[in-house]
Amino acid sequence: MDQLSGGEMLTRALHDEGVEIIFGYPGGAVLHIYDAIFHQDKVEHILVRHEQAATHAADGYARATGKPGVVLVTSGPGATNAITGIATAYMDSIPMIVISGQVESRMIGTDGFQETDMVGISRPVVKHSFMVQEAKDIPCIVKKAFHIATTGRPGPVVIDIPKDATDPKVKQTYEYPNEMKLRSYAVPTKGHSGQIKKAVDALLTAKRPMIYTGGGVIQGNGSEQLIELTRKLGFPITNTLMGLGAYPASDKQFLGMLGMHGTYEANMAMHYCDVLLCIGARFDDRVTNSDTSKFCPDATILHVDIDPASISKTVTADVPIVGSVAPVIEEMIDQIGKSDKKVDEQALEVWWNQIEQWREKDCLRVNPSAEGIIMPQDAVKAVFEITKGEAYVSSDVGQHQMFAAQYYGFDKPRRWINSGGLGTMGFGFPAAMGVQFAYPEATSVCITGEGSFLMNQQEFATCMQYQLPIKIICLNNEALGMVKQWQDMQYGGRHSHSTYSESLPDFTKLAEAYGHVGIKIEKADELYPKLEEAFAMKDKLVFVDVLVDPNEHVYPMAIKGGAMKDMVLSKTERT
Amino acid sequence: MRHIISVLMENEPGALSRVVGLFSQRNYNIDSLTVAPTEDQSLSRLTLTTSGDDARIEQITKHLNKIIDVVKLVDLTEGAHIERELMLIKVKAVGAQRAEVKRSVDIFRGSVVDLTANVFTIQLTGTGDKLDAFIAALGDNVVLEVARTGVSGISRGEKTLAL
Ligand SMILES: Cc1ncc(C[n+]2csc(CCOP(=O)(O)OP(=O)(O)O)c2C)c(N)n1
Ligand SMILES: [Mg+2]
């Protein structure tokens, strides 16, 4: 049996756990670990340029692959810099392991150099955390951490390691545990058959059914099952921002995204449905429009979720089903096949006719722009066409994010990589790096805004070091567009601190300064040719600065305090 | 409505802060809290009182259950249970007051556990209501210091909260 130091145990345990890549940034408290990394070649370490970017890159890797993302940061500022990324992963239930260095155990509590209470500061945004007491505990803690992060409702787990626990001079026997006991942690899998029967009965007696699914279907790898169920029933379906791609956007049963910037038809169908099947979504206020008393007034609500605490949290479920989405849907399909009830086809036809009428409103049609000006929606559509809808698309937060969600039709899960719960500007670019590391041959696109991009632009350097051919499509409206839109709509057009056009950098030169390619697109007729040129450069990072109409708003938009049927449809039209 | 929730959790550093943190993070209130190791040194039992409507209490118990350190929990107020709290209280007791205070202590089945020429220290156990009633019975300007443990509880009958 091998005699290893704590640092060596850590890298070995990561390898034994199947980790191929970690994202990190060194510092005093983790130098022993970095030396252990130096002496091995099983686990590849990626040096980012900011710890926040390490967490987002690991997060993007996890979202694209379903495998946990792993981060290594030093104590103090390294740890605090990681917090935004941990919170981002927590809000979207992304499996992540964050290893942070800590000052030596004897120094803890003395306000030592670069000491911060990482377990304390991260507590509200982690699924669990561990503080290593002794080197010999490292293998077992790593095993538990991965188990907790990846099972049940996934989430980030922090492992805080005092420097002395990785001391290279202290070697101990290493053995990676095959099993571990966690008496306090049980993972629900199958749903309760009796509850599933109640749900099936409700679905088969529905006159105006609706299916609403979220990120849980993607995290729970339930897309195939969802497609089978939805096709079998012939019901309309909508996905949340987090759930896009779980059901193919190009399918005729798909009504588009729902919620604050959801489609007219999806939100109307939600409001008027009589049976709502919610799978792996959490009735978040960006869906329900905050006043839940007005939400789906006629609907019997069937809610499938792996996390019992998500059920009846904001909207009371009539039929709660706790379980993992894939096995629950499988059992639903099975029970539907055996049921003596059948879908009410007549009622369904009437319902679909109604939905088709809503669809005719064509709420996502893009208003023609003034001479030569590029509409941001058209830029997203062009990216969709040029990449044939096959790209991995990460995004940041703002108008560009909503345009990406609305106009890039995702047909597959894990292709849309976006911070939905926390809404973290600065997420998109490093997340696209994580995707590119996971799939070097794939097209990794980041649709961003100039405001968001500036929050993690330093990662240009990382992309140069590792030769990542990411395509960054910046919908440059020379403003914090989403903030400005709210100011237009709710603050009499007073643009308090949301514009900065005079101080923006020349992004193409910025990209070039790091050795990348920069392309600027200013006129509508240049859109396709220049985007094609960008995507043709297969082995280069290309930053495409697309100057778009600065006055465009995202529509539809929910009317605050209203029901789901209450929307602003354009600058001049409301429902 | 008031609820008494008893939680069995890992007797590990950080476990208590996770439970307490949950309450502040989600804006639930804690009226009292007691915690100590059980007969099994690897487990602590924590008992807290809180209040809220059914939906809120359901969320509280669900979120408590999600904490990895929490092994099991029970809402004691859902069934028949015994509730006790211990109070140590220092009261002014001079001259005629001494007999008066002693009478109250007897009525409430407390005991005087320490005394000086001017002060009685009294020990009293019972439900929270009983302790409140005792303080009220003493009247104004008598109470010098109060130390209450917070509510502990256990279910009646054969039901147990154990592994
Ligand atoms: C870190 C962070 N700070 C602030 C916000 C609030 N916020 C939401 S959208 C937005 C504007 C984003 O601007 P930009 O990236 O240019 O996107 P646009 O809306 O213009 O497309 C801001 C400031 C946020 N989501 N994240
Ligand atoms: Mg902008």
Side-chain angles (χ1 to χ4, degrees), chain A residues 396-401 422-425 448-453 455 475 477 479-483 500:
Chain A
D396 276 289
V397 180
Q399 293 182 317
H400 65 273
Q401 171 196 29
L422 198 66
T424 309
M425 289 172 68
T448 186
E450 77 304 320
S452 296
F453 185 77
M455 285 204 174
L475 304 184
N477 51 11
L480 301 172
M482 189 56 96
V483 172
Y500 41 41

Side-chain angles (χ1 to χ4, degrees), chain A residues 289-312:
Chain A
N289 199 4
S290 65
D291 185 355
T292 51
S293 68
K294 297 179 187 162
F295 178 75
C296 297
D298 304 332
T300 299
I301 293 177
L302 324 172
H303 190 181
V304 181
D305 205 289
I306 196 154
D307 177 8
S310 280
I311 296 179
S312 297

Side-chain angles (χ1 to χ4, degrees), chain A residues 436 440 442 444 467-471 537-542:
Chain A
Q436 195 77 80
S444 175
Q467 292 292 308
L468 301 179
I470 296 168
K471 303 294 175 282
M537 285 184 252
K538 293 276 177 234
D539 51 1
K540 289 235 186 299
L541 182 152
V542 186

